[in-house]
Amino acid sequence: MIAAGLGVALVPSLDAWAVPDGLVLVRLTDPALRRTVHAARPATPLPAALTSRDLLRDGSRARSATPDDRGTAAV
């Protein structure tokens, strides 16, 4: 779909060399870019699930406090 011009893909910097000709790499530097992570869990989750939820939330807060431009996108 990306090669057909119908989508975008996130490409880690280490894999940028493998992007085929005809695609353009654009560095993601806009601090307004964000992602949403959803986690489903049962009504009575295991303690490990709650810990994972907390780590995701805390990691997200730490990342949003320090914008990083290491990611790239193929469009």
Side-chain angles (χ1 to χ4, degrees):
M1 291 185 64
I2 285 86
L6 300 173
V8 299
L10 294 178
V11 178
S13 298
L14 291 174
D15 292 331
W17 65 270
V19 173
D21 291 337
L23 297 182
V24 177
L25 289 177
V26 178
R27 200 170 272 288
L28 299 178
T29 58
D30 185 348
L33 295 173
R34 50 183 261 192
R35 73 180 136 213
T36 303
V37 177
H38 298 275
R41 60 183 198 273
T44 308
L46 294 172
L50 296 174
T51 299
S52 296
R53 177 205 58 198
D54 295 342
L55 290 169
L56 284 168
R57 183 179 44 230
D58 295 346
S60 173
R61 288 182 185 148
R63 297 275 301 160
S64 65
T66 56
D68 188 4
D69 67 344
R70 286 182 287 176
T72 57
V75 292

